[in-house]
């Protein structure tokens, strides 16, 4: 067997073992998981996540996922808790303590603190008879299936199961709270994720920047509006101010002969594609790509047909979409 074959065999064995373990975890979920979700929902304070070593690393991620999906949560290092950080934990909080063995000595002071002040404790471990689970009010048990290394030395299957349990908690809580994409963006305003979740209203141009002319406007004036606003298009409105058409470069080329003798209504493309201000910018990009256009007028849903803004493909590219 070559080195490449050996490496791939090991990698596939690890992934297969972890995938099988996740199936066992899914089958074993029961009322105790629901009890943990209810306990967190009932809390007036926050969810405090704690763990040491690899469990601590996983705990950091779980706390971050919870916090970003609508469940106030943060990670407290158990060793730091023993040196003052216990003051960060209040009687209104719920504690999620993570330890695969359930015997991490660093958790002792935190566990004692929760018992002394009646703070609800959720234990996450693979050993139901461990100190952690004996103290916990609610038990989240992951199956004890060893580790992918075969020697029980390298946290791998256990950390994967712990992470999956944390994700399951976060998403169950998120769905119960009806946490929507627009809510998610409030916690992720930066980077690619923030861009994907941007609403059209966040990127569009409105007010005096909006290129609009009335249907009876001479094309000489319409061309000035296109030039001054700089988007390469102009919207055409009827007597009531409703958007009825759009004039683009293509329209100008099609009416080149005698262009200046026409009105905006005679040159425009009627019934242009529009989008609502609360739609995701990602949706707007998809529409522009599908229709091979570079801009969309944004129509106010509360005032049918009334143009509220204009979104150009460059606005989307500027924030990383497209």
């Amino acid at each position: 067997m070559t080195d490449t074959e050996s490496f791939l065999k090991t990698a596939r064995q690890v992934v297969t073992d972890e995938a099988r373990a996740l199936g066992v975890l899914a089958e074993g979920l029961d009322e105790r998981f629901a009890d943990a979700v209810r306990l967190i929902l009932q809390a007036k304070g926050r969810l405090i996540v704690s763990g040491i070593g690899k469990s601590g690393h996983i705990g950091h991620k779980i706390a971050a996922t919870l916090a970003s999906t609508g469940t106030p949560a943060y990670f407290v290092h158990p060793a730091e808790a023993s040196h003052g950080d216990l003051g960060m934990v209040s009687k209104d909080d719920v504690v999620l303590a993570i330890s695969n063995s359930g015997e991490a000595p660093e958790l002792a002071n935190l566990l004692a603190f929760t018992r002394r002040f009646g703070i609800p404790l959720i234990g996450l471990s693979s050993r139901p008879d461990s100190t952690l689970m004996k103290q916990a009010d609610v038990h989240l048990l992951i199956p004890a299936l060893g580790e992918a290394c075969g020697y029980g030395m390298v946290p791998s299957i256990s950390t994967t199961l712990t992470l999956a349990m944390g994700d399951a908690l976060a998403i169950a809580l998120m769905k119960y709270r009806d946490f929507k994409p627009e809510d998610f963006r409030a916690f992720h305003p930066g980077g690619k994720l923030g861009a994907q979740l941007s609403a059209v209203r966040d990127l569009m141009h409105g007010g005096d920047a909006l290129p609009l002319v009335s249907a009876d406007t001479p094309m000489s004036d319409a061309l000035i509006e296109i030039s001054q606003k700089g988007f390469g298009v102009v919207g055409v409105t009827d007597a009531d101010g409703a958007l009825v058409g759009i004039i683009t470069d293509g329209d100008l080329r099609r009416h080149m002969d005698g262009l200046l003798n026409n009105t905006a209504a005679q040159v425009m493309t009627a019934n242009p594609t529009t989008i609502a201000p609360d739609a995701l910018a990602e949706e707007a990009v998809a529409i522009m790509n599908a229709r091979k256009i570079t801009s969309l007028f944004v129509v106010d849903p509360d005032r049918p047909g009334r143009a509220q803004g204009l979104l150009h493909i460059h606005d989307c590219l500027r924030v990383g979409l497209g």
Side-chain angles (χ1 to χ4, degrees):
M1 182 181 294
T2 66
D3 286 347
T4 297
E5 292 171 334
S6 177
F7 297 153
L8 290 175
K9 180 181 179 181
T10 299
R12 291 181 179 124
Q13 170 257 312
V14 171
V15 174
T16 299
D17 288 349
E18 293 189 354
R20 287 173 179 164
L22 287 169
V24 175
L25 174 65
E27 289 296 322
L29 292 173
D30 55 23
E31 184 65 26
R32 290 172 293 185
F33 179 85
D35 290 341
V37 174
R38 293 189 193 99
L39 193 62
I40 297 168
L41 287 170
Q42 292 165 3
K44 295 178 181 179
R46 296 156 295 183
L47 179 63
I48 311 302
V49 183
S50 190
I52 194 74
K54 302 301 187 294
S55 293
H57 294 311
I58 298 298
H60 270 288
K61 192 274 179 185
I62 292 174
T65 300
L66 286 159
S68 69
T69 52
T71 298
Y74 63 88
F75 181 84
V76 171
H77 193 286
E80 297 297 334
S82 299
H83 294 276
D85 280 2
L86 282 175
M88 301 167 67
V89 184
S90 77
K91 293 181 180 180
D92 291 330
D93 296 333
V94 173
V95 171
L96 171 62
I98 305 171
S99 172
N100 184 43
S101 68
E103 301 294 346
E106 294 85 355
L107 286 172
N109 287 335
L110 178 60
L111 300 187
F113 186 83
T114 65
R115 302 305 81 190
R116 183 180 307 134
F117 293 102
I119 299 170
L121 173 64
I122 301 170
L124 201 170
S125 174
S126 66
R127 298 185 181 178
D129 58 348
S130 63
T131 299
L132 169 59
M133 297 303 245
K134 287 177 180 177
Q135 295 296 323
D137 300 299
V138 176
H139 302 157
L140 290 178
L141 189 66
I142 60 172
L145 300 173
E147 303 293 359
C149 65
Y151 305 109
M153 297 171 56
V154 181
S156 46
I157 290 177
S158 62
T159 50
T160 296
L161 295 178
T162 301
L163 182 60
M165 184 72 84
D167 287 341
L169 275 177
I171 294 173
L173 289 160
M174 173 181 131
K175 288 185 176 294
Y176 181 87
R177 291 189 168 108
D178 195 23
F179 197 81
K180 294 183 172 63
E182 53 266 32
D183 302 314
F184 200 71
R185 183 182 181 271
F187 295 96
H188 300 79
K192 180 68 173 178
L193 182 57
Q196 290 174 328
L197 296 173
S198 295
V200 168
R201 69 167 67 253
D202 298 327
L203 303 179
M204 72 181 191
H205 303 270
D208 292 338
L210 194 57
L212 291 174
V213 296
S214 61
D216 58 0
T217 299
M219 276 306 300
S220 56
D221 292 337
L223 288 172
I224 292 174
E225 180 75 358
I226 293 174
S227 177
Q228 287 181 339
K229 296 302 170 64
F231 296 109
V233 299
V234 66
V236 182
T237 60
D238 63 15
D240 296 323
L243 184 73
V244 293
I246 185 174
I247 298 175
T248 67
D249 288 343
D251 296 311
L252 297 179
R253 288 193 297 271
R254 283 189 292 272
H255 295 83
M256 188 63 68
D257 290 339
L259 176 66
L260 298 182
N261 296 323
N262 293 322
T263 64
Q266 293 172 307
V267 176
M268 73 180 189
T269 295
N271 302 314
T273 302
T274 61
I275 196 165
D278 292 330
L280 291 180
E282 190 87 348
E283 179 185 346
V285 171
I287 292 173
M288 285 188 272
N289 287 338
R291 295 182 177 271
K292 295 181 171 57
I293 57 179
T294 59
S295 58
L296 283 172
F297 273 94
V298 184
V299 173
D300 188 344
D302 297 324
R303 303 171 68 189
R306 191 63 59 93
Q308 184 177 353
L310 178 74
L311 181 68
H312 195 278
I313 189 64
H314 290 165
D315 302 316
C316 300
L317 293 173
R318 189 176 62 251
V319 298
L321 297 177

